[in-house]
Amino acid sequence: MDEMTRRQIILILDFGSQYTQLIARRVREAGVYCEILPYNTPLASLLAYQPKGLILSGGPSSVYDTDAPHLESDVITGIKCPILGICYGLQLIASYLGGEVKPSGNREYGHARLQIVADDSPLFLDIPSEIDVWLSHGDHLTNLPEGFRLTARTGGALNAMESLSRRIFGVQFHPEVAHTPLGAQILKNFLYRVCRVESDWSPSSVIREQIQKIKEQVGSKNVVCGLSGGVDSTVAAALVHQAIGLQQYCIFVDTGLLKEGEVALTGSLLKQYMKLNVIGAQAGEKFLKGLTGVIDPEAKRRTIGRIFIEVFEEKARRIGNVEFLVQGTLYPDVIESVSVRGPSAVIKSHHNVGGLPEKMNLKIIEPLRELFKDEVRIIGRELGVPEQILLRHPFPGPGMAVRIIGEVTHESLRMVRAADTIVEEEIRRDNLYDAVWQAFAVLLPVSTVGVMGDFRTYEQVIAVRAVTSVDGMTADWARLPHDTLSRISTRIVAEVRGINRVVYDISSKPPSTIEWE
């Protein structure tokens, strides 16, 4: 990328840890730009970035497994910058350089007390002699490589090592997680004291870089943007608008699958408040007709994607002189497309406007592809995006179609929309909306027996889903107050015709996903 020649950069090699993105977030929070690359990236590719430091992530494998992910053989000796191995990364360094890694008698998982035994280690400067750390490993270091010294331990276990002459460091614990309270300081020590970087990056710097880049890229051509009203696409559109103004045409497709009142509210915010050049496309009946009889979740997504492309293409064709498509792709979208073991397994089709560039022969503009969601909100505020958009909960591209388990019909949409509105109203009433990542209703294809008055009913079930999260990569079910849940249930059964039972989803991600489909 062009920016890597202008910025100091830390590279992170991903060995499959669920915490890899957290490492990147902590580095960026320290004001240092970083990128995540696959574990098997060749040395020549790494050197092209001119990195100031290299971090090896944790991972679920054992270094002695035959199919364990390994570095290219010349990376450790050839990278010529400081290296920090975290958990599996430490074990990998140790095994490469002649140390010994063996299975632990018991898997070490959870809190532990770390004893610093080398208080002159640059990694632990200004850190107390004992700190709380978070462990998650089934193997442990039993013998240090030659030329390394022990810098910290937990109980009887070797937990950190370093070679100052080779500028190689390793920790068995996870400094990137919140459960290691002083972990951010340890990472800063690696960045500032070992790698000698300066704090020279912030999300707002992306605005200046991207405005200049977009101006040069677009010239006098027109640009189309698939606008959903969500955080990502709106901030992307606002950034492009800063660069080229009315050369950008934002196409807002009303799929008929949006939340109650969404079209009117979003249209008002985008047109009147943000002054974007918005073109509306009402296509609800077309989407519903295409979804008739479609039950399979993937088939739903493919159908919605196909119709979206048809509607979007028809509108874009009328504009003329269009060469570019704006997409709100974020950094997690980019790195999720690369698995540590090759092509990623498909959990579900991505809801971005897949297929448009190929079909319409458009060049892509992705001004947010270096950013995490919280960083996008930061620059959104600087660009004047309304808080009603920045703070709204994520909403799936296929809309209510994936919150209806079964066929999408006018009747099923009526029920799930009404229930969803009640969920949002009640959590807002208790000032819980900003405390949860997402909260919504799901219509289940299940009918149960109920009693209303003196009559027996046989009606459908609504599942309520509410989760807490930082970036949506992992999530825990939200412990909503019982009174809140009681009002949600009472109102849904009383106000939504066709529903006689409400259940609450208490599963986390992983193993579940946030959405049901």
Side-chain angles (χ1 to χ4, degrees), residues 210-227:
Q210 287 295 328
I211 286 176
Q212 183 61 34
K213 183 178 178 180
I214 292 166
K215 285 180 177 178
E216 294 172 357
Q217 185 179 7
V218 171
S220 62
K221 301 296 182 181
N222 287 330
V223 172
V224 290
C225 174
L227 200 56

Side-chain angles (χ1 to χ4, degrees), residues 178-308:
H179 300 301
T180 301
L182 291 175
Q185 182 59 48
I186 292 170
L187 287 173
K188 286 179 181 177
N189 282 346
F190 176 71
L191 297 172
Y192 299 139
R193 300 178 187 271
V194 178
C195 300
R196 302 292 182 181
V197 297
E198 297 177 357
S199 177
D200 69 347
W201 185 85
S202 68
S204 59
S205 67
V206 173
I207 298 176
R208 297 186 299 273
E209 293 172 359
Q210 287 295 328
I211 286 176
Q212 183 61 34
K213 183 178 178 180
I214 292 166
K215 285 180 177 178
E216 294 172 357
Q217 185 179 7
V218 171
S220 62
K221 301 296 182 181
N222 287 330
V223 172
V224 290
C225 174
L227 200 56
S228 68
V231 176
D232 305 341
S233 67
T234 304
V235 174
L239 183 49
V240 174
H241 183 76
Q242 288 280 320
I244 60 172
L246 298 182
Q247 285 175 249
Q248 175 183 228
Y249 294 80
C250 300
I251 301 175
F252 183 77
V253 178
D254 179 5
T255 63
L257 306 170
L258 303 176
K259 294 166 73 75
E260 192 71 47
E262 181 74 7
V263 174
L265 174 63
T266 302
S268 173
L269 289 172
L270 298 177
K271 287 182 180 180
Q272 298 176 26
Y273 192 91
M274 296 182 62
K275 309 302 181 185
L276 295 179
N277 188 8
V278 181
I279 299 173
Q282 295 185 359
E285 288 304 319
K286 186 171 185 176
F287 279 89
L288 267 180
K289 183 178 179 182
L291 288 168
T292 301
V294 179
I295 304 296
D296 179 74
E298 277 300 294
K300 284 183 187 178
R301 289 175 179 269
R302 288 193 297 269
T303 300
I304 292 167
R306 173 181 56 78
I307 298 172
F308 189 100

